[in-house]
Amino acid sequence: MEDFAEPELRRSITDADSPAWHIRAAAGRRLAAAPHIEGVAGVLHRLLLDTKDTGVTSDTAAALLARKDLAGLRAVLAARATASDEATADQLAAELDCDPRWTTQEEGAELIAQLRSLTTDTDPEIRAEARLRLSRLHRHEERPTPNP
């Protein structure tokens, strides 16, 4: 994670309100890279739920998931759990489903462990979303492989 100076933080928070989608998306990527995202959780949540352009949602979610930590995953799950706009909800689901960590067994196992940890989160919506993701994963694993 890059060192995040106060002026950069202020600029990113200001850019999160820009009318231009690409500036909001860049703000989401920068804020997601902050060492401690808890202080900007509200701004990140707003960017994840951007109803004007799913590019903002996508870029912010991908940057949060790229952190590979519980805080980033939790932020994306929280947004997915509360998304009321269908396109935004679908984009968040796609980012979760296409997280590059699913491509390796080791990182996939780490992601599953994080999801399991979040099934006991203090926020009931995050708990429910983590459980939903795990149940979908288990259903996919149990599906029989067709014979050639």
Side-chain angles (χ1 to χ4, degrees), residues 16 18-26 29 45-61 85 87-89 91-92 95:
S18 172
W21 78 268
H22 66 283
I23 293 175
R24 292 193 313 278
R29 290 189 304 270
H45 191 74
R46 189 166 30 92
L47 290 167
L48 286 165
L49 297 177
D50 191 302
T51 57
K52 295 176 189 162
D53 197 297
T54 56
V56 177
T57 299
S58 177
D59 281 13
T60 305
D85 178 75
T88 301
Q91 188 63 50
L92 289 164
E95 294 303 331

Side-chain angles (χ1 to χ4, degrees), residues 1-54:
M1 304 260 173
E2 62 186 67
D3 221 359
F4 219 72
E6 187 65 30
E8 177 74 8
L9 180 64
R10 282 195 303 270
R11 183 175 73 103
S12 297
I13 291 170
T14 299
D15 286 353
D17 291 323
S18 172
W21 78 268
H22 66 283
I23 293 175
R24 292 193 313 278
R29 290 189 304 270
R30 288 191 311 269
L31 290 170
H36 305 287
I37 62 171
E38 295 79 12
V40 292
V43 178
L44 284 167
H45 191 74
R46 189 166 30 92
L47 290 167
L48 286 165
L49 297 177
D50 191 302
T51 57
K52 295 176 189 162
D53 197 297
T54 56

Side-chain angles (χ1 to χ4, degrees), residues 101-116 134 137 141:
R101 291 183 286 174
W102 290 123
T103 61
T104 67
Q105 189 170 3
E106 183 178 318
E107 287 186 322
E110 178 184 306
L111 185 53
I112 290 169
Q114 288 177 344
L115 285 168
R116 284 189 179 129
L134 286 170
L137 180 62
E141 289 174 346

Side-chain angles (χ1 to χ4, degrees), residues 32 34 74 85 114 117-118 136 142:
R74 185 180 191 279
D85 178 75
Q114 288 177 344
S117 171
L118 290 169
R136 287 182 179 166
E142 293 170 0

Side-chain angles (χ1 to χ4, degrees), residues 59-147:
D59 281 13
T60 305
L64 284 164
L65 294 172
R67 295 171 61 92
K68 299 181 181 181
D69 66 0
L70 203 57
L73 178 59
R74 185 180 191 279
V76 177
L77 289 177
R80 174 64 181 95
T82 60
S84 58
D85 178 75
E86 187 175 344
T88 301
D90 288 348
Q91 188 63 50
L92 289 164
E95 294 303 331
L96 287 161
D97 292 342
C98 296
D99 186 322
R101 291 183 286 174
W102 290 123
T103 61
T104 67
Q105 189 170 3
E106 183 178 318
E107 287 186 322
E110 178 184 306
L111 185 53
I112 290 169
Q114 288 177 344
L115 285 168
R116 284 189 179 129
S117 171
L118 290 169
T119 63
T120 60
D121 194 88
T122 57
D123 184 319
E125 291 178 328
I126 293 171
R127 285 194 310 261
E129 191 63 34
R131 288 179 184 136
L132 176 65
R133 295 267 142 218
L134 286 170
S135 72
R136 287 182 179 166
L137 180 62
H138 291 307
R139 280 194 306 246
H140 178 70
E141 289 174 346
E142 293 170 0
R143 199 177 310 153
T145 308
N147 292 332

